[in-house]
Amino acid sequence: VLAALYFGFIASDRYAAELRYVVRSPQSLTASQLTGILQSTGNAHAGDAGNAIHAYLTSRDALHDLIRDVNLRHIYASPLADALSRFPRALGKSDDEALFAYYERMVSVKLDKTTGITSVEVQAFTPQEAKAIADGLIRRAETLSNKLTQRLRTDLVKTAEEEVTRARERSLAALASLTEFRNRERTVDPTRYSTALVETIAKLSLELAQMRAQQEELRKASPQSPQVAAIANRIQAFEEQIRQERLGLAGSAGSIAPQIAEYERLQLEREFADRLLSAAVGSLESARQDAQRQQIYVELVVSPRATDYPAYPYRALWILGTLVATTLGFVILRSIGRNIRR
């Protein structure tokens, strides 16, 4: 009788607003838009974001955000609700822990791991208030999705930018070392100077060979000719010149060989730094493209709507269930009483 009185005349109607959403990214899209929405999330980032949003909707953070956004305490303290349904309940606590326990009873979040679709059902004492709470939850879910996406994109690009900065500093340092070497040695490219020395030595060696041939010819034709001595002096001078040129190229403290070695080392370091910088810039562009592809969306499959009829409580079911439970309890207690009397 008490159950019939309460659920028949006292218990308040509770309206339900339902929304369904899926968390996806551009990689999860397929040729069919419907298939792309209904399929499981396409990559690990979307799956992680879906779990994060699910955890948020069932958290105290979501509760406090709804208190600020839609004045949740006022909604659940509605005068339309009976004393056992509203918050705080009759003789019940009104602190945050009690409110969170009440929120968990009025808001249910279920994730279908097969399809990746999350269903959220929100209860309130008017259809408009139920829809307002559902709208507040989906707005906060989208805000969290954008926050997660921005963090992911920032981390991807930040690492690549740091690599570019280091590569640029290394390239500038290599250029500065090369410039300092040129100023110290007063030469732009010692390899070109060495090439000129080699060409000079080759030219002198050719002329020396010609003079030796001419000297041999004169010795055979006219050994007493005064030109033989003159050619011999010239040959000696050319040999000394070639020796000096070769010493300037390598084999002495003032030779150009050490300069060439240092120059080639600096030049190799600069080329390596430039290639490293080019690779880092390319990686940065790739990271920016990857960051664009890491966009995460909260796609609504079913939007919350204000319903015309209440969804709860199940009055007839609760009355019938109470009748069955009390009847069974009465039969069991009567049986126990009879056994005791015997």
Side-chain angles (χ1 to χ4, degrees):
V1 170
L2 290 175
L5 288 174
Y6 176 72
F7 289 106
F9 301 101
I10 300 175
S12 304
D13 291 333
R14 299 199 306 273
Y15 294 83
E18 183 183 20
L19 66 92
R20 295 181 183 180
Y21 69 85
V22 63
V23 178
R24 62 182 178 85
S25 64
Q27 292 95 325
S28 65
L29 294 176
T30 63
S32 169
Q33 185 70 12
L34 181 60
T35 303
I37 293 176
L38 295 181
Q39 70 179 6
S40 177
T41 52
N43 54 61
H45 297 303
D48 293 343
N51 294 332
I53 293 173
H54 182 279
Y56 165 77
L57 294 178
T58 57
S59 69
R60 289 173 173 79
D61 288 342
L63 171 65
H64 292 298
D65 288 338
L66 288 174
I67 291 174
R68 290 192 296 268
D69 293 346
V70 297
N71 197 0
L72 193 67
R73 283 183 178 273
H74 176 75
I75 289 177
Y76 284 147
S78 172
L80 299 176
D82 64 89
L84 297 180
S85 299
R86 72 168 65 98
F87 179 84
R89 296 179 180 180
L91 304 179
K93 296 181 178 180
S94 60
D95 55 15
D96 289 345
E97 288 299 322
L99 179 59
F100 181 66
Y102 187 86
Y103 170 81
E104 289 183 313
R105 188 171 72 89
M106 300 294 279
V107 177
S108 64
V109 183
K110 297 179 181 179
L111 172 63
D112 188 337
K113 294 183 178 180
T114 302
T115 61
I117 295 177
T118 300
S119 301
V120 181
E121 184 184 71
V122 178
Q123 299 179 38
F125 300 106
T126 66
Q128 292 78 18
E129 289 174 344
K131 182 178 182 302
I133 296 173
D135 288 338
L137 284 175
I138 196 61
R139 284 195 302 270
R140 285 293 180 172
E142 290 173 345
T143 301
L144 178 59
S145 171
N146 294 333
K147 182 179 178 181
L148 293 173
T149 298
Q150 186 60 37
R151 178 67 179 273
L152 177 62
R153 294 168 66 180
T154 300
D155 289 345
L156 284 173
V157 175
K158 181 180 179 181
T159 302
E161 288 178 342
E162 290 175 351
E163 289 296 328
V164 170
T165 301
R166 285 194 291 267
R168 183 185 295 112
E169 291 175 352
R170 183 170 181 175
S171 180
L172 292 175
L175 179 60
S177 297
L178 188 60
T179 303
E180 190 274 334
F181 168 81
R182 286 169 172 167
N183 291 331
R184 184 181 69 249
E185 301 298 336
R186 297 181 181 180
T187 179
V188 175
D189 188 350
T191 57
R192 295 183 180 179
Y193 180 63
S194 66
T195 301
L197 284 179
V198 171
E199 291 177 353
T200 301
I201 292 172
K203 185 178 179 181
L204 291 173
S205 297
L206 178 60
E207 294 183 5
L208 178 60
Q210 291 175 351
M211 285 187 292
R212 284 175 176 171
Q214 185 180 1
Q215 181 187 36
E216 187 65 25
E217 183 180 355
L218 284 173
R219 283 178 179 177
K220 291 180 179 180
S222 54
Q224 302 300 323
S225 175
Q227 292 183 359
V228 174
I231 292 176
N233 292 334
R234 291 186 63 190
I235 289 173
Q236 185 178 3
F238 267 73
E239 289 176 345
E240 179 63 22
Q241 182 66 31
I242 291 173
R243 189 181 69 82
Q244 293 296 330
E245 295 294 340
R246 286 176 177 173
L247 288 175
L249 187 62
S252 67
S255 64
I256 198 175
Q259 296 181 12
I260 294 174
E262 184 178 1
Y263 174 79
E264 289 180 345
R265 180 183 63 81
L266 294 173
Q267 188 68 17
L268 180 62
E269 176 65 23
R270 182 189 177 188
E271 291 177 359
F272 180 78
D274 289 344
R275 291 181 182 179
L276 188 63
L277 177 59
S278 179
V281 172
S283 298
L284 176 59
E285 293 301 322
S286 298
R288 286 173 176 168
Q289 294 176 5
D290 290 340
Q292 292 297 326
R293 289 193 294 268
Q294 296 304 328
Q295 182 68 44
I296 297 172
Y297 303 91
V298 175
E299 185 73 32
L300 273 176
V301 180
V302 177
S303 300
R305 298 184 183 279
T307 57
D308 295 327
Y309 301 99
Y312 302 99
Y314 300 123
R315 300 178 187 277
L317 182 62
W318 275 103
I319 294 172
L320 180 60
T322 304
L323 176 61
V324 171
T326 52
T327 301
L328 289 176
F330 171 74
V331 171
I332 292 171
L333 291 174
R334 185 176 63 176
S335 177
I336 293 174
R338 286 178 179 177
N339 290 333
I340 293 175
R341 284 195 298 269
R342 290 177 184 176

